[in-house]
């Protein structure tokens, strides 16, 4: 357990993070490359999951995405590229291809579901949030969390391309789990100790019939630096699925974590606009969103990739 306050650029709060720390404008050199790339893809298409940035002239974009990766790993853990001209890319196949090629320069894309999906739509499918339904298919609020906290190998980085915003709500919200850790260490050290011990988590339907429906992982781990596996929904769902009562300290630790990750003094919030690319370090930076209401004719739509450089590309890692 870390027993000293965490310092440095990872431990930001609402009052210390500036927009220039996470927002990166797309320079005209990158814009030119992206437009040339879209024309090349239109004339000479390649299936999206076979696209390799090394096959294209993307020198300026490579510099930009190297800077994104630096901000994810050595900076605040969140970055937004402002913005890809999706309206000029001549349709969804080119948009997906450009997203794939840019995001693949941040990290290797990996499978996101047991069924082998690698490029996922984040949109409200109309299903109700319940055990077994993953949050990206609904419009409910999601407090800052880690994607795939219930898997053996969660992605290291998560990227989103906004295609359409919601009519109301759907703001992105971020928190540094290093700052959450600092707040808990200062105010609730005993509960923080409990967060270093395992919690049951429900696997949200993404497990095989010969496997258990829950996993048992700590919320905070040192591997070798701080790594977090907090998700507000999967932990109580895990206790329910496993048929285990939370004891008093377990419940208090989970509830305090849930309160602190949503502390307005710690969170940074903004609304993604169409064409903006959002990246997050999924190891120690939480991301979430407020609930949203769609225009039924133009539903909020994001494309999502998960990235992990180690292990295999398979869902189980
Ligand atoms: Fe998420």
């Amino acid at each position: 357990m870390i027993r000293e306050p965490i310092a440095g650029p990872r431990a930001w709060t609402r009052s210390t993070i500036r927009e220039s720390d996470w927002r990166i404008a797309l320079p005209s050199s990158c814009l030119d490359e992206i437009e040339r790339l879209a024309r090349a893809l239109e004339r000479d298409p390649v299936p999206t999951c076979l696209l390799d940035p090394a096959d294209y002239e993307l020198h300026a974009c490579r510099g930009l995405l190297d800077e994104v990766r630096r901000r994810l790993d050595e900076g605040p853990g969140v970055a937004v590229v402002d913005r890809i001209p999706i309206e000029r890319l001549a349709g969804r196949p080119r948009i997906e291809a450009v997203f794939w090629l840019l995001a693949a320069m941040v990290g290797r894309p990996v499978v996101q579901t047991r069924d082998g999906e690698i490029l996922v739509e984040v949109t409200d499918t109309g299903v109700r949030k319940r055990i077994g339904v993953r949050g990206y298919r609904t419009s409910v609020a999601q407090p800052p969390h880690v994607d795939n906290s219930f898997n053996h190998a969660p992605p290291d980085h998560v990227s989103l391309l906004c295609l359409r915003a919601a009519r109301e709500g759907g703001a992105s919200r971020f928190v540094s789990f290093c700052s959450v850790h600092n707040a808990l260490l200062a105010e609730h050290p005993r509960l923080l100790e409990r967060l270093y011990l395992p919690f049951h988590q429900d696997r949200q339907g993404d497990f095989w019939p010969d496997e258990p429906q829950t996993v048992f992982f700590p919320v905070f781990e040192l591997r070798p630096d701080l790594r977090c596996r907090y998700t507000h929904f999967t932990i109580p769902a895990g206790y329910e699925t496993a048929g285990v009562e939370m004891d008093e300290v377990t419940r208090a630790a989970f509830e305090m974590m849930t309160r602190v990750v949503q502390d307005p003094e710690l969170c940074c919030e903004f609304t993604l606009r169409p064409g903006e690319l959002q990246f997050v370090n999924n190891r120690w930076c939480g991301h979430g969103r407020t609930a949203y209401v769609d225009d039924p004719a133009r539903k909020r739509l994001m494309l999502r990739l998960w990235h992990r450089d180690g292990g295999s590309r398979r869902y189980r890692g």
Side-chain angles (χ1 to χ4, degrees):
M1 175 171 159
I2 301 173
R3 295 185 184 276
E4 297 294 324
I6 300 167
R10 293 184 179 189
W12 55 264
T13 67
R14 185 192 189 97
S15 61
T16 64
I17 195 167
R18 292 162 303 168
E19 188 167 346
S20 58
D21 294 332
W22 51 265
R23 188 177 289 284
I24 306 173
L26 189 77
S28 58
S29 53
C30 293
L31 199 56
D32 293 344
E33 276 183 359
I34 290 169
E35 291 190 340
R36 279 200 300 275
L37 173 65
R39 286 197 294 275
L41 291 164
E42 191 170 11
R43 193 180 56 222
D44 199 4
V46 172
T48 301
C49 68
L50 292 180
L51 288 166
D52 183 342
D55 293 338
Y56 299 91
E57 186 60 51
L58 291 170
H59 182 74
C61 289
R62 167 80 59 189
L64 180 84
L65 275 303
D66 284 350
E67 174 61 17
V68 167
R69 177 72 186 247
R70 196 191 63 71
R71 294 198 196 193
L72 296 186
D73 293 350
E74 298 160 35
V78 54
V80 172
V81 173
D82 178 14
R83 65 181 276 278
I84 309 300
I86 52 174
E87 63 286 347
R88 304 218 294 266
L89 296 183
R92 178 72 178 262
R94 252 79 56 204
I95 292 172
E96 287 187 6
V98 167
F99 174 43
W100 177 282
L101 284 165
L102 296 179
M105 289 189 274
V106 166
R108 182 188 62 180
V110 296
V111 165
Q112 303 189 41
T113 66
R114 192 190 71 161
D115 295 332
E117 291 172 274
I118 199 161
L119 180 64
V120 163
E121 284 192 346
V122 177
T123 197
D124 183 14
T125 59
V127 293
R128 191 174 57 81
K129 181 71 182 125
R130 60 179 193 280
I131 292 177
V133 172
R134 283 168 54 178
Y136 70 85
R137 300 173 60 208
T138 74
S139 61
V140 299
Q142 294 191 317
H145 62 277
V146 164
D147 268 8
N148 210 214
S149 58
F150 48 86
N151 197 358
H152 291 279
D156 292 330
H157 303 99
V158 175
S159 56
L160 281 180
L161 172 62
C162 177
L163 299 188
R164 289 194 297 269
R167 188 176 70 196
E168 265 179 66
S172 295
R173 193 181 276 171
F174 293 88
V175 75
S176 159
F177 286 127
C178 299
S179 296
V180 169
H181 191 284
N182 286 347
L184 290 165
L185 181 68
E187 302 285 333
H188 307 282
R190 288 207 39 233
L191 299 182
L192 180 60
E193 276 182 27
R194 173 63 187 91
L195 292 165
Y196 275 86
L197 300 173
F199 287 73
H200 294 283
Q201 289 201 45
D202 184 82
R203 296 172 76 183
Q204 299 294 283
D206 274 317
F207 58 97
W208 283 262
D210 60 340
E211 293 181 333
Q213 194 175 336
T214 57
V215 290
F216 198 48
F217 290 126
V219 166
F220 285 120
E221 294 173 283
L222 288 174
R223 299 179 55 193
D225 47 4
L226 190 71
R227 172 158 203 160
C228 185
R229 281 181 179 267
Y230 167 81
T231 302
H232 56 286
F233 185 82
T234 58
I235 291 176
Y239 278 81
E240 190 180 330
T241 304
V244 177
E245 274 290 305
M246 279 193 197
D247 62 46
E248 206 176 305
V249 179
T250 300
R251 182 170 299 283
F254 171 73
E255 287 179 353
M256 186 54 67
M257 181 78 186
T258 300
R259 195 172 309 159
V260 175
V261 299
Q262 299 181 81
D263 182 345
E265 300 291 314
L266 297 185
C267 290
C268 162
E269 191 173 304
F270 54 86
T271 300
L272 274 186
R273 295 169 301 174
E276 288 182 332
L277 266 170
Q278 170 186 302
F279 298 90
V280 64
N281 185 315
N282 196 49
R283 297 174 69 92
W284 51 266
C285 188
H287 69 277
R289 60 147 198 259
T290 59
Y292 64 86
V293 179
D294 272 327
D295 172 346
R298 288 183 54 78
K299 289 169 78 166
R300 180 183 190 264
L301 179 61
M302 312 270 169
L303 300 179
R304 185 177 74 188
L305 285 169
W306 281 352
H307 309 274
R308 188 177 56 240
D309 290 330
S312 79
R313 292 182 176 85
R314 296 183 302 168
Y315 177 68
R316 61 177 80 219

